[in-house]
Structures are given as structure tokens and as C-alpha cells.
Amino acid sequence: MARNPKITFIGAGSTVFMKNIVGDVLQRPALSGATIALMDINPQRLEESAIVVNKLISTLGVKAKAETYSDQRKALSGADFVVVAFQIGGYEPCTVTDFEVPKKYGLRQTIADTLGVGGIMRGLRTVPHLWKICEDMLAVCPDAIMLQYVNPMAINTWAIAEKYPAIKQVGLCHSVQGTAMELAHDLDIPYEEIRYRSAGINHMAFYLTFEHRQPDGSYKNLYPDLVRAYREGQAPKPGWNPRCPNKVRYEMLTRLGYFVTESSEHFAEYTPYFIKGGREDLIEKFGIPLDEYPKRCVEQIERWKGQAEAYRSAEKIEVAQSKEYASSIINSVWTGEPSVIYGNVRNNGCITSLPANCAAEVPCLVDASGIQPTFIGDLPPQLTALIRTNVNVQELTVQALMTENREHIYHAAMMDPHTAAELDLDQIWSLVDDLLAAHGDWLPDWARTGRKVQAA
């Protein structure tokens, strides 16, 4: 009899996310008998997740089984796939700290989970825990593939590849397919008729081509239509979040000639152009949602209370396909049926205009041989230049983690485009001191005490 896969979720208390992935997995015939191992440090969230998985199994009438663990290594033992989704330090205290401390310096942020001082701090908190998972995987499931859904994605992927190169891993995000769906909607074109190719780094990849299949089988470049729609006020159309009108990315399209894959609220803080002290006109013009991520966290926490109760009392749980890549990857590796996904992997020359060791987001072929990134070549020079400004910050954060050299945390903050556009050197160093002190025990030992710069 064919063996069924074991899929371990580390951070299974991210229940809604876990439900979407498990729902996708169990609807695939080859995976419907999977063992779903759930691990979380929060016993209540773990129990809620187990209820959800068991109800999914019963709703779908499949032979899968759920197991729960508080011990990470036991949960990983014998796993074929490891899905990682956690947030070290949570909304409170860590996200609040990442926003409130910089505000005292007049440095305002929107999401703060990828780049900037918020992204750097999140990387310092997160990578040591990912490394512990890698250690455990090497001990009890060395051939498993890690599907990593944690931010800061690029810093995490880079740091894992640097310290544990033997780990098979891919960083996953839904911004490539999600944005393509948004753009299709903006142009009133069915998503199924769109063809695109994207490459770059996580949250700053660009559609190198974005095309519409014509009735005669040819493809039409949609970039002129997108620019026209923006200039005529037809795009962007209102999205799921009225606070985030998506004007930043359209503006950048008119300047760069290419559309970026992650949202306008993210992109506004990856560049020095949009959030500036004393320039409320820019905030107004582009609809930039300052402090957006904390607002979302509060809304999600509130929404979850009702959802958890509803899941507890529900007989069945509605299962819809999500746009996440996880089930497609697991199915392709397990059955050999090929698929193409966008994944974050060590660049290794896929994008020749970016460093070989950075984490690149490129199309990947997935089959029984695993995840195989495809070759892109050079990006247009203006895209390479902009991406490098973000790679600099990622590289210095990874160097800080690898060498335990606290100086590199300050260097990373100095190189951040948004931070450097707002603050002088003394302010940047003082802000990093304050953040390191405020995060305290959430950081690795070597990073915990702030260091004052000596006056010359």
C-alpha cells in the first residue's frame, strides 16, 4: 500500500492560514490520507487548530488524521513536508514596539515586517527560531522540504541557506499571483486569460511580462493599458481594504515601466519617495496608510474570537481553494505531476544582475525531483538598482545574525532607503539602541544590549 505523507505545521496556531493550506491539501486525492502534525507553543490555539483540522477531515470524508504536539522535534519526526508560519513576539509586544519606538524619532511605517527598522528587528527575532527548526529537521527529517511562510521572507530564506545549506527550503508568498489577479480585475480581463513572468526578491519582484491571450492565440502586452487606465483614473479599482488604494505601485509603473508584485502599502516603505516628514501632501495624494499593520492585527484578533467560536460549534467547515502554493508543491513532489510556482530560494545565478547568495523570487518547476528554480538572466537595470537597495539591508541583517556582530544591525538600518531619507546618523544609531533595549529578551543574547556610538 502506498505511504501517505506526513505534513508538519510549526506555528499551527495560525489557524486560519493553517486551515487554508490543509483544506487545499486534503482536496488533492494523492494527499487525502496525509498525517497532519500540528505544533504550537500556545495550547489553546493548538486545540482550536486541531478542532478545525478534524472538522475539515470529516467534512471532506477523507482518511487523513491529525496529531498535536507541543514538542517541536517530536512533531517533525519523520515529516515529509514542514510548513512554517509563526510570528515571534506577536502583535503585542513586538509589533507595537517596532512601530512606536521609531515614531518617537518621526519615522513612520505602514507594515514594518519586511524591510526598514521594523523588518530588521523582526529578522533578528525570527531567524534564530527558524535555525532551531533546521537543526531539528536535520536530526529527525533531513529529507523533508520546508515551506516557509514567515516574514521577513527574504532575510529568513537567505539566513537559512547561509547557515543550513543542506535544508531543502522555499519561501512562499501569495503576492505574485494575488497582484496578477488584482491587475486582471482592474482591466476587466478574466485572470485565466493572463500570462506573466515575474522575478526579483520577495515583495520587490516585477512582472517582466504581463500579457493577455487573444482569440487567435497571440498575446498582447498589457502594460500600455495599465498605464492608460491609471492616467485616466480607471485604475486602481477599489480593493478589499478601503485604507489602501494602491496608487503607489501604479505611480512606480509610470516611472519604471514595470509593475511590482507586493502591495502599495508595503512598497511605500521600501523606497525613499513616499513617506516624508512634513510632506502630508504625499500621504494624501497616494493614500498611504500609516500604521496599517497594527490596525490589521487588532482587526484580526477581534475577528478570530468570533471565528474560533464558530469553528467550535460548526458541524462542518466550508472548504474553498486558496491561492497559496503549498498544496501544489506537496502534490507535485509526492506524485511527480509537475507544477510551476513562484518561490524564494538562494539566487545561485538565476538572476544574474543580483548577488548569487541573496534570496531571489523566481518561477520554479516542481516535480518528484523537488523545487527547481528557473534561469532569468539580467533584470532591467532600473529594477536591479532599486532591488539592490533592499538587498543591502537584507545582507547586513543576515551578516549580523551569522557573525553575531551587533555593529551590522546599525549598518543595516543606515542602508535602509526610508530610514536614511528621514533620519541622520546619530538618530539612526540611537533608534537602533532604543529598539534593541525595548525588545530585550525577544532578541538573541548577542543583540540584546544597545551600543552607543562614540563621539569623535
Side-chain angles (χ1 to χ4, degrees), residues 402-444:
M402 288 295 294
T403 61
E404 300 190 356
N405 178 351
R406 210 164 49 235
E407 297 267 321
H408 287 326
I409 303 171
Y410 299 84
H411 298 152
M414 283 166 59
M415 298 302 153
D416 178 64
H418 173 42
T419 305
E422 295 283 276
L423 306 182
D424 67 30
L425 287 169
D426 284 342
Q427 289 173 313
I428 293 170
W429 282 57
S430 178
L431 168 55
V432 172
D433 282 339
D434 288 356
L435 280 165
L436 295 177
H439 280 305
D441 290 350
W442 289 105
L443 297 171

Side-chain angles (χ1 to χ4, degrees), residues 163-180:
K163 193 173 175 82
Y164 292 99
I167 292 285
K168 297 172 189 167
Q169 58 140 346
V170 63
L172 296 170
C173 180
H174 48 238
S175 60
V176 174
Q177 66 274 43
T179 292

Side-chain angles (χ1 to χ4, degrees), residues 69-107:
Y69 298 86
S70 55
D71 181 298
Q72 181 171 287
R73 189 170 280 207
K74 284 182 180 159
L76 288 167
S77 182
D80 299 291
F81 303 93
V82 178
V83 181
V84 186
F86 55 65
Q87 186 182 342
I88 301 298
Y91 165 60
E92 288 181 308
C94 287
T95 294
V96 171
T97 301
D98 284 340
F99 275 84
E100 293 307 313
V101 174
K103 252 191 234 176
K104 292 174 187 163
Y105 288 80
L107 185 64

